[in-house]
Amino acid sequence: MLLCSSSAAIRRISVSWLIMANNSNFKSHRLSRSDDAALALESSTKSPRTMSTHSSLKDAFSSYADHLNALNEKRERIVKASRDVTMNSKKVIFQVHRISKANREEVLEKAEKDLAAVRDQHISRLVKELQGTDFWKLRRAYSPGVQEYVEAATFFKFCQTGTLLNLDEINASLLSLSDPSLEPLQINLLDYLLGLADLTGELMRLAIGRISDGEVEYSERICQFVRDIYRELTLLVPLMDDGSDMKTKMDTMLQSVVKIENACFSVRVRGSEYIPLLGSSDPSSFLVGVSDGEL
């Protein structure tokens, strides 16, 4: 009797296990079918999204390429305009160097017209290209031309009035070239100072030339003017963040100061050794009326 009941219990347990196994197989089969359907649905939905993403990336990089190409073309135009500004500004400087007592007004009048032509014909091209853009982004492209223009403008101003043309005056002269609705092109302080450093070299050449023509007092005024510029910049340059170019030009500026000082000193102390000026009867000669003891 006990054996029969045990066998019945075992059969019931076996049947229960079979039912559970069949149910689990059915559920797993149903889950696998549902998983396959979900994967198929997911793959069907991902495919067009992947194509759309690829297309959007391609369009984005195409727009980046167009922007970079346009920027490079603008940079090339700016470099060309900067070279033209540099070349024509040098012509203004050469024109001013022709100055003498006899032709001062004529030379300065011609130089003023040439400087206005540089501003109206060539600086205006830079203004047109740089309006409404980040000036610092393309600064390296146009900085050499702007520095040369500052050098020419300040050199002309000194020879005309004996004073320094400041940055506000230069920028004010450029306002008429800009569209009032856009941000105007303004020469930044760094380019102005770099151009001012180059000015001292031209003033050194002018001073040496004026000494050879007997205008020693004028050369001494130039010497004092260059000294003042060098002294003020000596205090400023150590405080500049990006002053590598300026520090290099400071060494050249010091050489210019020393050359002017030596030339003026030699004429004052050893003027009698300047043979071409000895015995000159020209009333404009600086040696007329000066005794040998004063020399």
Side-chain angles (χ1 to χ4, degrees):
M1 184 74 178
L2 180 62
L3 181 61
C4 292
S5 62
S6 297
S7 300
I10 291 172
R11 284 197 299 271
R12 285 197 297 269
I13 293 172
S14 299
V15 171
S16 300
W17 276 106
L18 288 173
I19 293 172
M20 291 176 62
N22 290 332
N23 289 337
S24 62
N25 290 333
F26 176 74
K27 289 181 179 179
S28 62
H29 179 67
R30 185 174 61 184
L31 288 175
S32 62
R33 291 181 60 187
S34 62
D35 290 342
D36 293 341
L39 290 174
L41 179 61
E42 184 178 359
S43 62
S44 64
T45 56
K46 277 187 175 180
S47 296
R49 185 168 60 187
T50 303
M51 293 175 61
S52 176
T53 304
H54 178 72
S55 178
S56 62
L57 286 175
K58 184 177 180 181
D59 293 340
F61 277 96
S62 297
S63 65
Y64 299 155
D66 293 339
H67 173 73
L68 291 176
N69 289 334
L71 184 63
N72 288 332
E73 291 175 0
K74 175 177 282 192
R75 182 181 287 109
E76 291 298 324
R77 293 194 300 268
I78 290 174
V79 168
K80 178 62 170 61
S82 178
R83 288 173 181 169
D84 292 339
V85 171
T86 300
M87 180 180 63
N88 289 278
S89 296
K90 287 183 180 295
K91 291 181 180 179
V92 174
I93 294 173
F94 296 153
Q95 173 66 25
V96 175
H97 273 300
R98 297 189 179 100
I99 193 171
S100 66
K101 289 182 177 180
N103 64 358
R104 182 177 183 277
E105 298 298 330
E106 179 184 354
V107 169
L108 292 180
E109 182 180 358
K110 176 72 165 54
E112 185 175 14
K113 293 180 180 178
D114 292 344
L115 189 64
V118 175
R119 181 179 63 249
D120 297 336
Q121 298 178 15
H122 304 291
I123 294 290
S124 60
R125 289 165 55 194
L126 289 178
V127 172
K128 181 180 178 182
E129 292 291 345
L130 295 172
Q131 279 185 348
T133 63
D134 186 2
F135 301 140
W136 290 100
K137 183 188 300 182
L138 298 172
R139 176 183 170 270
R140 287 291 182 182
Y142 67 84
S143 179
V146 169
Q147 293 177 32
E148 197 70 29
Y149 176 76
V150 170
E151 181 182 356
T154 52
F155 188 43
F156 167 77
K157 181 70 173 181
F158 176 81
C159 292
Q160 185 182 44
T161 64
T163 59
L164 178 65
L165 182 67
N166 60 47
L167 180 59
D168 291 337
E169 292 175 329
I170 295 179
N171 284 330
S173 67
L174 301 179
L175 289 177
S176 60
L177 304 176
S178 302
D179 188 344
S181 62
L182 299 175
E183 182 180 359
L185 171 64
Q186 297 286 277
I187 296 175
N188 59 74
L189 180 60
L190 179 58
D191 287 336
Y192 174 76
L193 293 177
L194 290 171
L196 195 61
D198 293 334
L199 167 67
T200 58
E202 300 303 331
L203 290 176
M204 181 271 294
R205 297 180 184 91
L206 180 66
I208 300 300
R210 294 305 90 216
I211 288 175
S212 64
D213 287 346
E215 300 179 48
V216 179
E217 293 182 357
Y218 186 43
S219 298
E220 290 175 346
R221 289 199 299 271
I222 296 175
C223 182
Q224 186 59 47
F225 184 74
V226 175
R227 280 175 182 166
D228 293 340
I229 294 176
Y230 179 76
R231 182 181 66 250
E232 298 299 329
L233 290 180
T234 301
L235 301 175
L236 178 62
V237 170
L239 304 177
M240 298 173 63
D241 294 332
D242 185 17
S244 58
D245 294 340
M246 195 67 195
K247 291 175 182 178
T248 302
K249 292 191 176 186
M250 288 297 293
D251 296 334
T252 305
M253 192 186 309
L254 179 58
Q255 295 176 7
S256 298
V257 173
V258 172
K259 288 179 181 179
I260 301 174
E261 289 177 341
N262 288 340
C264 294
F265 175 82
S266 298
V267 171
R268 284 300 184 185
V269 176
R270 304 167 59 187
S272 59
E273 298 179 9
Y274 285 79
I275 305 300
L277 297 177
L278 289 179
S280 174
S281 59
D282 183 3
S284 64
S285 173
F286 72 96
L287 291 176
V288 172
V290 179
S291 62
D292 293 338
E294 291 176 327
L295 292 175

Coordinates of all heavy atoms in Angstrom, one line a residue, residues 63 135 138 159 167-168 220 224 235 256:
S63 N 29.3 72.1 -45.4 CA 29.2 73.5 -45.0 C 30.5 74.0 -44.3 O 30.9 75.2 -44.5 CB 28.0 73.7 -44.0 OG 28.3 73.0 -42.8
F135 N 38.4 90.9 -36.4 CA 39.6 91.5 -36.9 C 40.9 90.7 -36.5 O 41.9 90.6 -37.2 CB 39.8 93.0 -36.5 CG 38.6 93.8 -37.0 CD1 38.1 94.8 -36.1 CD2 38.1 93.7 -38.2 CE1 37.1 95.6 -36.6 CE2 37.1 94.5 -38.7 CZ 36.6 95.4 -37.9
L138 N 42.1 87.4 -38.6 CA 42.9 87.6 -39.8 C 43.9 88.7 -39.6 O 44.5 89.2 -40.6 CB 42.0 88.0 -41.0 CG 40.9 87.0 -41.3 CD1 39.9 87.5 -42.4 CD2 41.5 85.7 -41.9
C159 N 57.1 115.3 -40.2 CA 57.8 116.3 -41.1 C 57.0 117.5 -41.4 O 57.5 118.6 -41.7 CB 58.2 115.6 -42.4 SG 59.4 114.3 -42.2
L167 N 47.0 107.4 -32.3 CA 46.1 106.3 -32.8 C 44.7 106.8 -33.1 O 44.1 106.4 -34.0 CB 46.1 105.1 -31.8 CG 45.3 103.9 -32.2 CD1 45.7 103.3 -33.5 CD2 45.4 102.8 -31.1
D168 N 44.2 107.6 -32.2 CA 42.8 108.1 -32.4 C 42.7 108.9 -33.7 O 41.7 108.8 -34.4 CB 42.4 108.9 -31.2 CG 42.3 108.1 -29.9 OD1 42.0 106.9 -30.0 OD2 42.4 108.7 -28.8
E220 N 68.8 117.5 -34.3 CA 68.8 117.4 -32.8 C 67.3 117.3 -32.3 O 67.1 116.6 -31.3 CB 69.5 118.6 -32.2 CG 71.0 118.5 -32.4 CD 71.7 119.8 -31.8 OE1 71.0 120.8 -31.5 OE2 72.9 119.7 -31.7
Q224 N 65.9 114.1 -30.1 CA 65.1 114.2 -28.9 C 63.7 113.5 -29.1 O 63.3 112.8 -28.1 CB 64.9 115.7 -28.5 CG 64.2 115.9 -27.2 CD 65.0 115.2 -26.0 OE1 66.2 115.4 -25.9 NE2 64.3 114.5 -25.2
L235 N 59.2 101.6 -21.1 CA 58.3 101.4 -19.9 C 57.1 100.5 -20.3 O 56.6 99.8 -19.4 CB 57.8 102.7 -19.4 CG 58.9 103.7 -18.9 CD1 58.2 105.0 -18.5 CD2 59.7 103.1 -17.8
S256 N 69.1 103.0 -33.6 CA 68.8 104.3 -34.3 C 69.0 105.5 -33.5 O 69.6 106.5 -33.9 CB 67.3 104.3 -34.8 OG 67.0 103.2 -35.7

